[in-house]
Amino acid sequence: MKNILVVGSAGQIGSELTLLLRTIYGSDRVVAGIRKTKPSQKLIDTGPCEVVDALDTDALVSVVDKYKINMIINMAAILSGTGEKNPMLAWDVNMNGLINILELARERKMDQVLVPSSIAVFGPTTPRENTPQDTILKPTTMYGVTKVAGELLGDYYVKKYGLDVRGLRYPGIISHETLPGGGTTDYAVAIYYEAVRQKKYTCFVNEHTRLPMMYMPDCLKATVDLMEADFDKLRYHCDYNIGAMDFTVADMVASVKKHIPDFEISYAPDFRQEIADSWPNSLDDTAAREDWGWKPDYDLDAMTADMLEAITRKHEQGLI
Ligand code: SER
């Protein structure tokens, strides 16, 4: 029986993942760990919520004991944009938070820890097209540095202590429930929101910027499928490439215009352009496909139709 703590439960991925896990494993068995971000009413109503800061070991231990937690999913992180503004904060949250969780999981002999990684582990010297699973990891952001170190640390706990630690390299994640915060790929979400709200958007990367992206339903499927995969079949542990789609900003605008023809975009690239330019265009995810059956469902146009419908509904209801 899994008793799961999701650290960073109020965030973009954590909020939807926690709700999904409650439907799979039982509402009372999935604890939403919240720090500063206000949780949604759905999160509060559907199961236990606790204040959890991975940097506060005593508080973490008391929640783990209270709910007999045997699996931790660590969704708390400072992303690339915020990380460049405050590198020490990114290091502190992303590294010290992670090692606290891994140490606690080791001491309590937990069944599993899931720690997501990111395309931010790659850098300007990494091959950009169909980026291999095993390749150059020399990122130029603090977020990327912490994600490379996090992958290595997770793999170390697997090898040294036999702890089951798993992770996958998320591309930019696009969703309509909870907004992302502080990432370079956030423009992709903002384009959909502003297309509905204002019919115009000023983008902080240029129109030629191409990045790997993924729609939230695929992100959730990948996460749960990796959690459930047979440990003995995993050739990798904390660093699976997963791909779904890749497109330029111009491709995205063309997709949006099929629904909102008068949508206008302008460009004012800022410091995040350099970050985006240092990341891959597309990923080779053969290992994930072979080891645990990864296969995405959504392409750009299917995602656009779904996103615009959901955001339009929210807009009509006065929620955004
Ligand atoms: N979405 C993240 C960011 O842009 C990448 O993992 O920072």
Side-chain angles (χ1 to χ4, degrees), residues 35-36 77-91 93-94 141-144 180-186 204 270-272 275 279:
R35 197 175 66 102
K36 264 183 12 205
I78 301 294
L79 298 185
S80 58
T82 309
E84 285 318 283
K85 288 189 188 146
N86 196 341
M88 285 306 292
L89 177 70
W91 179 268
V93 171
N94 300 358
T141 62
M142 182 55 99
Y143 176 58
T184 299
T185 57
D186 294 9
F204 58 76
D270 66 14
F271 71 102
R272 288 168 285 189
I275 300 178
W279 290 349

Side-chain angles (χ1 to χ4, degrees), residues 128-253:
R128 297 196 74 191
E129 301 295 339
N130 209 24
T131 301
Q133 173 70 42
D134 291 307
T135 186
I136 299 164
L137 302 179
K138 294 182 101 180
T140 47
T141 62
M142 182 55 99
Y143 176 58
V145 169
T146 64
K147 284 295 168 187
V148 174
E151 288 182 354
L152 294 172
L153 199 56
D155 284 353
Y156 179 82
Y157 273 71
V158 176
K159 185 165 181 292
K160 175 96 176 167
Y161 303 115
L163 187 66
D164 180 347
V165 193
R166 305 174 181 203
L168 60 189
R169 292 169 173 157
Y170 290 136
I173 303 297
I174 296 176
S175 67
H176 54 76
E177 276 295 319
T178 307
L179 287 172
T184 299
T185 57
D186 294 9
Y187 67 84
V189 177
I191 284 175
Y192 289 124
Y193 272 81
E194 295 316 317
V196 170
R197 276 201 290 222
Q198 324 230 35
K199 299 204 173 160
K200 58 179 194 222
Y201 177 65
T202 303
C203 189
F204 58 76
V205 296
N206 68 39
E207 63 183 312
H208 307 296
T209 306
R210 177 185 292 280
L211 284 172
M213 299 278 180
M214 181 177 286
Y215 195 30
M216 184 60 90
D218 278 332
C219 169
L220 298 176
K221 184 173 78 163
T223 308
V224 173
D225 285 355
L226 178 59
M227 265 173 74
E228 289 292 337
D230 183 350
F231 184 84
D232 295 334
K233 295 217 172 90
L234 301 180
R235 286 174 292 166
Y236 298 86
H237 295 288
C238 298
D239 56 358
Y240 275 100
N241 277 5
I242 46 164
M245 54 182 122
D246 57 272
F247 46 78
T248 63
V249 180
D251 295 335
M252 229 193 132
V253 172

Side-chain angles (χ1 to χ4, degrees), residues 193 196-197 310-320:
Y193 272 81
V196 170
R197 276 201 290 222
I311 297 169
T312 303
R313 215 179 312 123
K314 276 192 184 186
H315 193 52
E316 285 167 359
Q317 292 168 351
L319 297 172
I320 56 162

